Amino acid sequence: MNNQQQPIDNWEWNKSFSFKLPRLQIYLDSTSLGAFKTCPRYYYYSILCGYVLSGVQIDLEFGSAAHVLQEVYHRAKAEGSSHDEALDKVVDRGLTMTWDRKSEGPLFEDAQKNRLSLIRLAIEYFDHYEKEGTGPRTVTLANGKPAVELTFAFDSGVKTSTGENIVLCGHMDRLVQFNDDIYVSDLKTTRTALGPSYAARYTPDNQFTLYTIAGRVALSVPARGVLLDAAQVGVTFVRFARFPIPRPQPVLDEWLTSLPFWVSQMEGCAERAAEGSPESAYPQNDKACNLYGGCQFREICGRSPSARAPILNANYQRRRWDPAGQPR
Amino acid sequence: MMPDELPQSDALYQPAADSIAELFNRDPLSLQKVDRMRLIEELRNDAARRAAALLAGEKPGRPLKSAEALPVSTSLRAEDLL
């Protein structure tokens, strides 16, 4: 079968989806819900069909790698390693995970986000914030384990019209105590300058609000919000800034109150998709095409529907999105 | 002095010392703990050097070519912009 004959829609059921209504996602992580809120068509392409632009997605890959190194560090510390021992493990992992054994060279070579800047970021970040006694303290959970690498899933209290519960799920890096408050810790890497305007973009924010709710509901800690560790990655430097991003309870309540609206919208789209033409059941929000540096599907949406499949099949890879089975 | 007027510095642009580059270009599985600890120290020194240069008023980033060295187009056409 050639590219032109392959259908756009290749959605397959997994346990994140309804048993009763095809394409209705009942395990919602912040990525899925955020995608739908941004643009139903973006959600359709990226989450339901699983399209992702071929090649290295440098911002995504770099951010993911930074999170992995953070996990390596905190896990090593939780197991009793000293700062330098944990840093050695971070560098070992960082060098290995960014090395392409086939080409015997680095996996990504962006001017700003590359192998060197990743290792530099890790060393300077942990030196800067995480030496004994100077960084936020990792919270110890009721079971005695450090609150590192936490997967959560909890009933939102919202039901679909098919009677299934909507479960909110996801994965957070760490819970920390900071200035007598508990926060969900999250690391973001960016190319843009750090300042109040950078931090402001996270209030309101779907992911940060969901993480705060998850801290309170699923992990039973009085999370005040998210402690954002932002790292600006330049060609020859990294800079750090830490921003507490609080979420008062009324804000959390309002977010939860709006959830049934979004679920009903998702359900409406899934119902229309079940009747035939799934792609057209998820409408474009053409006011979101230029967000975040431009949507990766802008070129697709700009084409006639009949011309999209060959481009999608030629330029995009497919992955399976299953937050219930693979939270990260 | 405005930030844009700060002197550019070759030292600040220098992405990594040769010793760092040497470690980065090796198969990571061939590196021993002593190599990684050396790399960590080298990068720490590199960070300290850049921080000191910044305090001295130098501006991070790639040194710009002087205006004289830049090619100047005197016949810009529409197709040049495509």
Side-chain angles (χ1 to χ4, degrees), chain A residues 83-85 87-88 91-92 95-96 99 101 115-116 119-120 123-124 127 131 235-239, chain B residues 12-13 15-16 20 24-29 31 33 36-37 39-40 43-44 46-47 50 54 60-61:
Chain A
H83 174 71
D84 277 353
E85 287 167 345
L87 214 46
D88 174 48
V91 170
D92 188 17
L95 289 174
T96 308
W99 184 258
R101 296 193 66 78
R115 195 164 183 250
L116 174 61
I119 302 298
R120 175 182 276 157
I123 293 171
E124 294 191 33
D127 274 358
K131 280 184 175 168
V235 175
T236 61
F237 66 91
V238 286
R239 292 192 181 110
Chain B
L12 276 171
Y13 175 61
I20 298 176
F24 260 81
N25 290 330
R26 278 169 54 186
D27 183 337
L29 294 181
L31 295 177
K33 182 170 182 175
R36 292 191 299 271
M37 294 314 290
L39 179 60
I40 290 169
L43 285 171
R44 280 175 173 157
D46 187 53
R50 282 180 287 114
L54 274 174

Side-chain angles (χ1 to χ4, degrees), chain A residues 66-259:
Chain A
H67 277 97
V68 169
L69 297 187
Q70 197 182 36
E71 176 186 350
V72 169
Y73 180 87
H74 291 300
R75 200 169 286 284
K77 290 280 286 182
E79 290 166 357
S81 296
S82 68
H83 174 71
D84 277 353
E85 287 167 345
L87 214 46
D88 174 48
K89 290 177 180 170
V90 164
V91 170
D92 188 17
R93 180 72 177 273
L95 289 174
T96 308
M97 72 194 288
T98 54
W99 184 258
D100 183 2
R101 296 193 66 78
K102 271 188 182 170
S103 65
E104 296 190 333
L107 272 178
F108 40 80
E109 292 189 279
D110 180 79
Q112 284 167 283
K113 295 186 172 180
N114 52 51
R115 195 164 183 250
L116 174 61
S117 62
L118 177 71
I119 302 298
R120 175 182 276 157
L121 162 70
I123 293 171
E124 294 191 33
Y125 173 78
F126 294 122
D127 274 358
H128 186 75
Y129 280 134
E130 302 298 342
K131 280 184 175 168
E132 285 298 330
T134 60
R137 197 163 51 81
T138 301
V139 167
T140 301
L141 295 172
N143 61 11
K145 293 185 176 174
V148 174
E149 291 307 299
L150 302 164
T151 297
F152 64 85
F154 61 95
D155 185 349
S156 68
V158 177
K159 278 186 188 293
T160 66
S161 65
T162 56
E164 294 167 290
N165 295 328
I166 293 292
V167 175
L168 296 171
C169 60
H171 188 91
M172 60 177 74
D173 293 337
R174 194 162 66 118
L175 283 172
V176 296
Q177 184 151 4
F178 180 71
N179 291 345
D180 297 329
D181 287 311
I182 292 176
Y183 286 88
V184 175
S185 173
D186 198 59
L187 171 66
K188 301 280 187 202
T189 62
T190 178
R191 299 168 196 266
T192 56
L194 306 177
S197 64
Y198 176 78
R201 70 176 65 175
Y202 293 103
T203 302
D205 178 76
N206 182 64
Q207 181 193 22
F208 279 20
T209 303
L210 173 56
Y211 280 13
T212 306
I213 294 169
R216 294 187 183 195
V217 176
L219 302 168
S220 302
V221 294
R224 185 155 188 248
V226 174
L227 186 64
L228 168 62
D229 277 354
Q232 181 191 357
V233 181
V235 175
T236 61
F237 66 91
V238 286
R239 292 192 181 110
F240 305 104
R242 174 165 280 162
F243 304 98
I245 313 281
R247 286 289 188 272
Q249 186 62 46
V251 170
L252 304 180
D253 292 341
E254 187 177 34
W255 189 91
L256 281 169
T257 304
S258 73
L259 186 59

